[in-house]
Amino acid sequence: MHSISPETIFRGNDAWAEALPQINKITKKPLILGRSIHTLNLRNKIFRDLKNHNLNVSSDNLQFDCCYEDISRVKNIILKNNHDSVIAAGGGKVLDSGKYIADCLNIPCITIPLSASTCAGWTALSNIYTKNGQFIMDVALRSCPKILVYDHKFIQTAPSRTLASGIADALAKWYESSITSSKIDDGLVQQAIQISRVLRDQLLIDGEKAFKGVSEDNPSWRNTIEACGLTAGLVGGIGGEKCRTAAAHAIHNSITQIITPNKFLHGEIVGVGLLLQLRLEEMKNNNKLANQSIKQLLVLMKELNLPTNISQLGINVFENKNLEKIADFTLREKSEIHFLPFEINKQELIDVIANFEKQVLKI
Ligand SMILES: [Zn+2]
Protein backbone atom coordinates (compact mmCIF):
# COMPACT_ATOMS: atom_id res chain seq x y z
CA MET A 1 0.00 0.00 0.00
CA HIS A 2 1.28 3.45 -0.77
CA SER A 3 -0.49 6.76 -0.86
CA ILE A 4 0.52 8.73 -3.94
CA SER A 5 -0.93 12.16 -3.30
CA PRO A 6 -3.23 14.27 -1.15
CA GLU A 7 -6.90 13.66 -1.92
CA THR A 8 -7.49 17.25 -3.07
CA ILE A 9 -4.92 19.90 -3.97
CA PHE A 10 -5.64 23.60 -4.28
CA ARG A 11 -2.84 25.58 -5.88
CA GLY A 12 -2.24 29.11 -7.10
CA ASN A 13 -2.94 32.65 -5.98
CA ASP A 14 -6.44 31.98 -4.67
CA ALA A 15 -5.94 28.47 -3.36
CA TRP A 16 -6.95 29.32 0.21
CA ALA A 17 -10.20 31.04 -0.81
CA GLU A 18 -11.03 28.13 -3.11
CA ALA A 19 -10.28 25.57 -0.42
CA LEU A 20 -12.51 27.09 2.27
CA PRO A 21 -15.84 25.57 1.12
CA GLN A 22 -14.18 22.15 0.76
CA ILE A 23 -12.65 22.40 4.22
CA ASN A 24 -16.05 23.30 5.57
CA LYS A 25 -17.42 20.01 4.24
CA ILE A 26 -14.98 17.81 6.13
CA THR A 27 -14.49 19.55 9.47
CA LYS A 28 -16.51 21.56 11.98
CA LYS A 29 -14.05 21.85 14.84
CA PRO A 30 -10.48 22.03 13.53
CA LEU A 31 -7.29 22.71 15.44
CA ILE A 32 -4.83 24.97 13.63
CA LEU A 33 -1.26 23.95 14.37
CA GLY A 34 1.63 26.36 13.81
CA ARG A 35 4.92 27.43 15.30
CA SER A 36 6.87 30.39 13.99
CA ILE A 37 6.18 33.97 14.99
CA HIS A 38 6.86 34.88 11.33
CA THR A 39 3.72 33.05 10.22
CA LEU A 40 1.47 34.43 12.96
CA ASN A 41 -0.29 36.97 10.71
CA LEU A 42 -1.11 34.33 8.12
CA ARG A 43 -2.32 31.91 10.77
CA ASN A 44 -4.50 34.63 12.25
CA LYS A 45 -6.00 35.17 8.81
CA ILE A 46 -6.63 31.43 8.44
CA PHE A 47 -8.24 31.43 11.88
CA ARG A 48 -10.53 34.41 11.09
CA ASP A 49 -11.56 33.03 7.70
CA LEU A 50 -12.49 29.67 9.23
CA LYS A 51 -14.44 31.40 11.98
CA ASN A 52 -16.29 33.47 9.38
CA HIS A 53 -17.24 30.18 7.74
CA ASN A 54 -18.87 29.19 11.03
CA LEU A 55 -16.22 26.70 12.07
CA ASN A 56 -15.54 26.20 15.76
CA VAL A 57 -11.81 26.71 15.39
CA SER A 58 -8.94 26.76 17.94
CA SER A 59 -5.21 27.04 17.54
CA ASP A 60 -2.06 25.76 19.18
CA ASN A 61 1.66 26.11 18.57
CA LEU A 62 4.50 23.63 18.65
CA GLN A 63 6.87 24.54 21.44
CA PHE A 64 9.90 22.71 20.09
CA ASP A 65 10.06 20.59 16.97
CA CYS A 66 8.27 17.65 15.42
CA CYS A 67 9.01 15.76 18.64
CA TYR A 68 7.16 13.32 20.89
CA GLU A 69 6.78 15.96 23.65
CA ASP A 70 4.84 18.31 21.38
CA ILE A 71 3.01 15.48 19.65
CA SER A 72 1.58 14.00 22.84
CA ARG A 73 0.69 17.42 24.25
CA VAL A 74 -1.22 18.40 21.08
CA LYS A 75 -2.85 14.96 20.88
CA ASN A 76 -4.24 15.48 24.38
CA ILE A 77 -5.61 18.91 23.48
CA ILE A 78 -7.39 17.43 20.47
CA LEU A 79 -8.87 14.57 22.48
CA LYS A 80 -9.95 16.84 25.34
CA ASN A 81 -11.67 19.35 23.05
CA ASN A 82 -13.02 16.88 20.49
CA HIS A 83 -11.36 18.49 17.49
CA ASP A 84 -12.29 16.69 14.29
CA SER A 85 -9.30 17.66 12.14
CA VAL A 86 -5.80 19.16 12.22
CA ILE A 87 -4.95 22.11 10.00
CA ALA A 88 -1.16 22.28 9.92
CA ALA A 89 0.00 25.71 8.72
CA GLY A 90 3.75 26.31 8.58
CA GLY A 91 7.04 24.74 7.52
CA GLY A 92 8.09 21.09 7.38
CA LYS A 93 8.22 20.49 11.13
CA VAL A 94 4.67 21.81 11.66
CA LEU A 95 3.34 19.90 8.66
CA ASP A 96 5.02 16.67 9.78
CA SER A 97 3.64 17.04 13.32
CA GLY A 98 0.12 17.75 12.08
CA LYS A 99 0.15 14.75 9.74
CA TYR A 100 1.52 12.44 12.42
CA ILE A 101 -1.03 13.52 15.03
CA ALA A 102 -3.95 13.27 12.60
CA ASP A 103 -2.79 9.81 11.55
CA CYS A 104 -2.58 8.62 15.18
CA LEU A 105 -6.05 9.94 15.98
CA ASN A 106 -7.60 8.87 12.69
CA ILE A 107 -8.85 12.35 11.82
CA PRO A 108 -8.23 14.25 8.56
CA CYS A 109 -5.18 16.47 8.14
CA ILE A 110 -5.24 19.62 6.04
CA THR A 111 -1.79 20.95 5.19
CA ILE A 112 -1.14 24.60 4.38
CA PRO A 113 2.59 25.05 3.67
CA LEU A 114 3.62 28.64 4.43
CA SER A 115 6.92 28.35 2.58
CA ALA A 116 8.44 26.29 -0.23
CA SER A 117 11.05 24.83 2.11
CA THR A 118 9.99 21.17 1.84
CA CYS A 119 7.45 18.83 0.24
CA ALA A 120 6.07 17.88 3.67
CA GLY A 121 2.65 19.30 2.74
CA TRP A 122 2.26 16.46 0.26
CA THR A 123 3.82 13.30 1.64
CA ALA A 124 2.61 10.40 3.79
CA LEU A 125 5.73 10.64 5.94
CA SER A 126 6.75 12.40 9.15
CA ASN A 127 10.29 12.92 10.37
CA ILE A 128 10.52 12.75 14.15
CA TYR A 129 13.17 14.74 16.03
CA THR A 130 14.09 15.26 19.67
CA LYS A 131 12.92 18.53 21.16
CA ASN A 132 16.42 19.87 20.46
CA GLY A 133 16.09 19.07 16.77
CA GLN A 134 18.10 15.83 16.60
CA PHE A 135 16.74 13.42 14.00
CA ILE A 136 15.29 10.20 15.47
CA MET A 137 13.41 8.42 12.68
CA ASP A 138 10.95 8.81 9.85
CA VAL A 139 7.52 7.31 10.16
CA ALA A 140 5.42 6.17 7.19
CA LEU A 141 1.82 7.33 7.60
CA ARG A 142 -1.31 5.60 6.34
CA SER A 143 -2.13 8.33 3.85
CA CYS A 144 -1.16 11.67 2.39
CA PRO A 145 -3.09 14.70 3.72
CA LYS A 146 -6.80 14.95 2.94
CA ILE A 147 -6.42 18.46 1.52
CA LEU A 148 -3.26 20.35 0.52
CA VAL A 149 -3.61 24.11 0.12
CA TYR A 150 -0.63 25.54 -1.78
CA ASP A 151 -1.48 29.22 -1.80
CA HIS A 152 1.12 31.24 -3.69
CA LYS A 153 0.21 34.46 -1.88
CA PHE A 154 0.97 32.76 1.44
CA ILE A 155 4.25 31.28 0.19
CA GLN A 156 5.35 34.62 -1.23
CA THR A 157 5.54 36.03 2.31
CA ALA A 158 8.15 33.45 3.43
CA PRO A 159 11.83 34.45 3.84
CA SER A 160 13.86 33.72 0.68
CA ARG A 161 16.09 31.44 2.74
CA THR A 162 13.21 28.93 2.92
CA LEU A 163 13.02 28.84 -0.87
CA ALA A 164 16.76 28.14 -1.16
CA SER A 165 16.35 25.35 1.37
CA GLY A 166 13.44 23.86 -0.60
CA ILE A 167 15.50 23.93 -3.80
CA ALA A 168 18.38 22.03 -2.17
CA ASP A 169 16.01 19.42 -0.71
CA ALA A 170 14.20 18.93 -4.05
CA LEU A 171 17.49 18.70 -6.00
CA ALA A 172 18.53 15.83 -3.72
CA LYS A 173 15.60 13.72 -5.01
CA TRP A 174 17.35 12.99 -8.30
CA TYR A 175 20.80 12.36 -6.88
CA GLU A 176 19.45 10.08 -4.15
CA SER A 177 16.72 8.19 -6.03
CA SER A 178 18.81 7.59 -9.17
CA ILE A 179 21.70 6.03 -7.27
CA THR A 180 19.62 3.84 -4.97
CA SER A 181 16.85 2.74 -7.31
CA SER A 182 17.98 2.88 -10.93
CA LYS A 183 18.25 -0.92 -11.07
CA ILE A 184 14.83 -1.59 -9.55
CA ASP A 185 12.58 -3.38 -12.02
CA ASP A 186 9.41 -1.44 -11.28
CA GLY A 187 7.92 0.96 -13.83
CA LEU A 188 6.51 3.36 -11.30
CA VAL A 189 9.85 3.69 -9.53
CA GLN A 190 11.62 4.34 -12.85
CA GLN A 191 9.01 6.96 -13.78
CA ALA A 192 9.45 8.63 -10.40
CA ILE A 193 13.22 8.79 -10.96
CA GLN A 194 12.68 10.42 -14.36
CA ILE A 195 10.31 12.99 -12.83
CA SER A 196 13.03 13.80 -10.31
CA ARG A 197 15.49 14.34 -13.20
CA VAL A 198 13.16 16.80 -14.90
CA LEU A 199 12.61 18.43 -11.51
CA ARG A 200 16.37 18.84 -11.08
CA ASP A 201 16.76 20.31 -14.59
CA GLN A 202 13.97 22.79 -13.92
CA LEU A 203 15.57 23.87 -10.66
CA LEU A 204 18.98 24.28 -12.32
CA ILE A 205 17.33 26.51 -14.94
CA ASP A 206 14.87 28.44 -12.78
CA GLY A 207 16.15 28.20 -9.20
CA GLU A 208 18.36 31.27 -9.20
CA LYS A 209 15.83 33.39 -11.13
CA ALA A 210 13.17 32.36 -8.63
CA PHE A 211 15.33 33.18 -5.62
CA LYS A 212 16.21 36.61 -6.97
CA GLY A 213 12.73 37.49 -8.19
CA VAL A 214 10.13 36.41 -5.66
CA SER A 215 6.91 37.35 -7.40
CA GLU A 216 3.80 35.61 -8.69
CA ASP A 217 4.48 37.44 -11.99
CA ASN A 218 7.78 35.59 -12.33
CA PRO A 219 7.17 32.21 -14.02
CA SER A 220 10.51 30.93 -12.66
CA TRP A 221 9.32 31.61 -9.13
CA ARG A 222 5.94 29.94 -9.69
CA ASN A 223 7.54 26.89 -11.27
CA THR A 224 10.20 26.62 -8.59
CA ILE A 225 7.90 26.82 -5.58
CA GLU A 226 5.63 24.21 -7.14
CA ALA A 227 8.61 22.00 -7.97
CA CYS A 228 9.78 22.13 -4.34
CA GLY A 229 6.40 21.86 -2.62
CA LEU A 230 4.43 19.65 -5.03
CA THR A 231 6.54 17.75 -7.57
CA ALA A 232 9.12 16.69 -4.99
CA GLY A 233 6.24 15.20 -2.99
CA LEU A 234 4.89 13.45 -6.08
CA VAL A 235 8.25 11.74 -6.65
CA GLY A 236 8.05 10.28 -3.15
CA GLY A 237 4.39 9.35 -3.71
CA ILE A 238 4.92 7.48 -6.99
CA GLY A 239 8.33 6.04 -6.11
CA GLY A 240 7.24 5.00 -2.63
CA GLU A 241 9.80 3.68 -0.22
CA LYS A 242 11.83 2.18 -3.06
CA CYS A 243 12.54 5.67 -4.37
CA ARG A 244 14.67 6.16 -1.35
CA THR A 245 16.74 8.80 0.20
CA ALA A 246 20.43 7.95 0.39
CA ALA A 247 23.60 9.56 1.71
CA ALA A 248 22.48 13.21 1.48
CA HIS A 249 19.67 12.64 3.98
CA ALA A 250 21.71 10.19 6.07
CA ILE A 251 24.38 12.85 6.49
CA HIS A 252 21.69 15.46 7.22
CA ASN A 253 20.34 13.23 9.97
CA SER A 254 23.76 12.81 11.52
CA ILE A 255 24.59 16.53 11.38
CA THR A 256 21.39 17.27 13.33
CA GLN A 257 22.79 15.16 16.19
CA ILE A 258 25.23 17.97 16.98
CA ILE A 259 23.38 20.75 18.73
CA THR A 260 24.43 24.22 17.60
CA PRO A 261 23.30 27.67 18.78
CA ASN A 262 22.02 28.60 15.31
CA LYS A 263 19.42 26.32 13.76
CA PHE A 264 19.67 25.51 10.09
CA LEU A 265 16.82 24.51 7.81
CA HIS A 266 16.35 20.92 6.64
CA GLY A 267 17.29 21.62 3.00
CA GLU A 268 20.30 23.72 3.99
CA ILE A 269 21.76 20.68 5.73
CA VAL A 270 20.63 18.25 3.01
CA GLY A 271 22.47 20.40 0.43
CA VAL A 272 25.76 19.88 2.26
CA GLY A 273 24.95 16.16 2.56
CA LEU A 274 24.34 16.04 -1.18
CA LEU A 275 27.81 17.44 -1.98
CA LEU A 276 29.34 14.85 0.36
CA GLN A 277 27.30 12.06 -1.26
CA LEU A 278 28.65 13.06 -4.66
CA ARG A 279 32.20 13.04 -3.29
CA LEU A 280 31.58 9.50 -1.98
CA GLU A 281 30.26 8.46 -5.37
CA GLU A 282 33.32 9.88 -7.04
CA MET A 283 35.69 8.00 -4.74
CA LYS A 284 33.90 4.74 -4.09
CA ASN A 285 31.72 4.24 -7.15
CA ASN A 286 34.18 5.60 -9.69
CA ASN A 287 31.55 8.06 -10.85
CA LYS A 288 33.42 10.41 -13.17
CA LEU A 289 30.45 12.76 -13.47
CA ALA A 290 30.15 13.30 -9.72
CA ASN A 291 32.82 15.99 -9.63
CA GLN A 292 31.09 17.82 -12.49
CA SER A 293 27.82 17.64 -10.54
CA ILE A 294 29.54 19.07 -7.46
CA LYS A 295 30.87 22.02 -9.48
CA GLN A 296 27.48 22.60 -11.07
CA LEU A 297 25.67 22.47 -7.73
CA LEU A 298 28.22 24.72 -6.01
CA VAL A 299 27.60 27.51 -8.52
CA LEU A 300 23.87 27.41 -7.84
CA MET A 301 24.20 26.94 -4.09
CA LYS A 302 26.45 29.99 -3.79
CA GLU A 303 23.95 32.09 -5.74
CA LEU A 304 21.24 30.89 -3.35
CA ASN A 305 23.38 31.73 -0.28
CA LEU A 306 23.24 28.07 0.78
CA PRO A 307 25.89 26.59 3.08
CA THR A 308 28.32 24.41 1.12
CA ASN A 309 30.20 22.67 3.92
CA ILE A 310 29.68 21.60 7.51
CA SER A 311 31.63 24.52 8.99
CA GLN A 312 29.13 26.88 7.35
CA LEU A 313 26.47 25.05 9.37
CA GLY A 314 28.23 26.28 12.51
CA ILE A 315 30.02 22.99 13.25
CA ASN A 316 33.78 22.47 13.39
CA VAL A 317 34.14 18.79 12.52
CA PHE A 318 37.66 18.73 13.96
CA GLU A 319 36.45 19.53 17.49
CA ASN A 320 34.62 17.48 20.15
CA LYS A 321 34.95 14.22 18.20
CA ASN A 322 32.37 15.65 15.78
CA LEU A 323 33.78 13.76 12.80
CA GLU A 324 33.42 10.52 14.71
CA LYS A 325 29.90 11.37 15.87
CA ILE A 326 28.78 12.22 12.34
CA ALA A 327 30.36 9.08 10.89
CA ASP A 328 28.88 6.80 13.59
CA PHE A 329 25.35 8.13 13.17
CA THR A 330 25.60 8.12 9.37
CA LEU A 331 26.70 4.48 9.37
CA ARG A 332 24.34 3.19 12.08
CA GLU A 333 22.37 0.11 11.21
CA LYS A 334 19.11 1.81 10.22
CA SER A 335 20.75 4.57 8.18
CA GLU A 336 19.70 5.31 4.60
CA ILE A 337 23.36 5.35 3.61
CA HIS A 338 23.18 1.57 3.30
CA PHE A 339 20.92 2.00 0.26
CA LEU A 340 23.98 3.13 -1.70
CA PRO A 341 25.17 0.46 -4.15
CA PHE A 342 28.64 0.39 -2.56
CA GLU A 343 30.01 -0.24 0.91
CA ILE A 344 31.62 2.48 2.92
CA ASN A 345 33.46 2.11 6.20
CA LYS A 346 33.88 4.58 9.03
CA GLN A 347 37.43 5.65 8.22
CA GLU A 348 36.57 6.26 4.57
CA LEU A 349 33.62 8.43 5.54
CA ILE A 350 35.72 10.37 8.05
CA ASP A 351 38.41 10.94 5.39
CA VAL A 352 35.88 12.15 2.82
CA ILE A 353 34.29 14.61 5.23
CA ALA A 354 37.65 15.82 6.60
CA ASN A 355 39.08 16.37 3.12
CA PHE A 356 35.93 18.13 2.02
CA GLU A 357 36.08 20.49 4.96
CA LYS A 358 39.78 21.20 4.47
CA GLN A 359 39.53 21.70 0.77
CA VAL A 360 39.20 25.17 -0.66
CA LEU A 361 36.56 24.31 -3.18
CA LYS A 362 37.41 25.71 -6.56
CA ILE A 363 34.73 26.22 -9.14
ZN1 LIG B 1 14.35 16.17 2.72
Side-chain angles (χ1 to χ4, degrees):
M1 205 277 289
H2 67 172
S3 179
I4 291 176
S5 85
E7 208 170 292
T8 312
I9 297 156
F10 295 90
R11 51 187 274 252
N13 243 348
D14 299 311
W16 170 240
E18 286 167 17
L20 270 166
Q22 185 76 17
I23 292 172
N24 212 340
K25 280 186 199 158
I26 64 160
T27 176
K28 296 297 166 210
K29 201 179 179 192
L31 179 80
I32 302 174
L33 189 62
R35 181 169 71 161
S36 164
I37 190 82
H38 301 294
T39 62
L40 185 61
N41 285 343
L42 280 178
R43 284 183 285 121
N44 283 342
K45 176 189 166 40
I46 291 167
F47 187 96
R48 281 195 309 273
D49 290 348
L50 291 169
K51 218 169 174 65
N52 289 338
H53 274 70
N54 297 320
L55 294 182
N56 186 358
V57 56
S58 306
S59 65
D60 196 73
N61 290 341
L62 292 185
Q63 287 173 0
F64 308 105
D65 215 308
C66 181
C67 62
Y68 289 119
E69 288 85 349
D70 267 325
I71 285 167
S72 62
R73 187 181 56 79
V74 176
K75 257 175 27 188
N76 286 335
I77 292 172
I78 291 173
L79 289 170
K80 200 170 131 217
N81 299 319
N82 289 316
H83 291 292
D84 60 2
S85 72
V86 181
I87 299 182
K93 305 289 174 75
V94 169
L95 301 169
D96 274 5
S97 308
K99 289 184 296 181
Y100 184 91
I101 293 163
D103 190 84
C104 290
L105 299 175
N106 217 2
I107 56 177
C109 183
I110 296 152
T111 48
I112 312 179
L114 299 182
S115 77
S117 61
T118 71
C119 58
W122 182 293
T123 54
L125 197 73
S126 290
N127 289 328
I128 309 291
Y129 294 82
T130 68
K131 62 183 192 172
N132 297 319
Q134 297 161 294
F135 176 85
I136 300 176
M137 63 190 287
D138 49 38
V139 180
L141 307 175
R142 278 172 290 179
S143 67
C144 294
K146 184 91 174 163
I147 297 176
L148 163 59
V149 184
Y150 208 67
D151 191 294
H152 292 192
K153 278 198 289 236
F154 289 179
I155 289 164
Q156 208 173 323
T157 65
S160 55
R161 181 180 170 189
T162 59
L163 177 60
S165 173
I167 292 170
D169 197 31
L171 280 169
K173 292 270 176 221
W174 158 255
Y175 298 96
E176 294 194 291
S177 67
S178 60
I179 190 163
T180 57
S181 306
S182 58
K183 294 200 173 69
I184 290 177
D185 186 18
D186 178 329
L188 276 187
V189 172
Q190 292 313 318
Q191 288 143 25
I193 293 171
Q194 291 313 313
I195 294 171
S196 74
R197 184 179 53 76
V198 177
L199 171 68
R200 177 204 62 176
D201 292 347
Q202 198 164 28
L203 293 172
L204 289 174
I205 293 166
D206 280 331
E208 188 185 335
K209 287 184 221 155
F211 182 73
K212 292 180 177 167
V214 174
S215 161
E216 180 65 16
D217 298 331
N218 176 1
S220 293
W221 182 79
R222 290 199 306 268
N223 288 337
T224 300
I225 60 155
E226 297 214 319
C228 299
L230 305 181
T231 318
L234 178 67
V235 170
I238 295 181
E241 61 175 2
K242 288 184 192 124
C243 216
R244 275 162 164 166
T245 53
H249 274 80
I251 293 168
H252 158 279
N253 296 342
S254 65
I255 291 173
T256 67
Q257 302 307 309
I258 299 166
I259 297 169
T260 53
N262 295 323
K263 289 257 183 213
F264 284 84
L265 300 173
H266 173 80
E268 291 175 329
I269 308 173
V270 169
V272 174
L274 177 53
L275 297 174
L276 286 164
Q277 174 182 317
L278 287 163
R279 189 61 87 215
L280 286 171
E281 288 183 49
E282 186 186 1
M283 289 176 56
K284 294 287 298 184
N285 210 27
N286 203 19
N287 179 352
K288 304 272 191 262
L289 287 175
N291 194 40
Q292 283 303 109
S293 298
I294 291 175
K295 286 183 184 168
Q296 187 180 30
L297 287 173
L298 275 174
V299 173
L300 176 63
M301 288 169 76
K302 287 189 174 162
E303 290 300 331
L304 302 182
N305 287 334
L306 282 164
T308 53
N309 58 37
I310 299 176
S311 74
Q312 288 174 11
L313 297 170
I315 296 166
N316 182 343
V317 295
F318 303 107
E319 283 176 354
N320 302 328
K321 294 197 170 169
N322 284 339
L323 262 180
E324 194 133 329
K325 285 181 205 161
I326 291 171
D328 282 338
F329 197 87
T330 304
L331 294 170
R332 78 197 198 287
E333 201 182 302
K334 284 182 186 158
S335 171
E336 294 92 335
I337 202 154
H338 304 301
F339 300 143
L340 290 175
F342 52 87
E343 290 288 323
I344 170 141
N345 68 39
K346 186 173 165 181
Q347 195 53 48
E348 288 167 332
L349 183 58
I350 284 177
D351 289 347
V352 164
I353 296 173
N355 286 334
F356 195 79
E357 291 294 306
K358 280 182 202 153
Q359 199 177 6
V360 180
L361 292 158
K362 291 188 189 121
I363 297 168

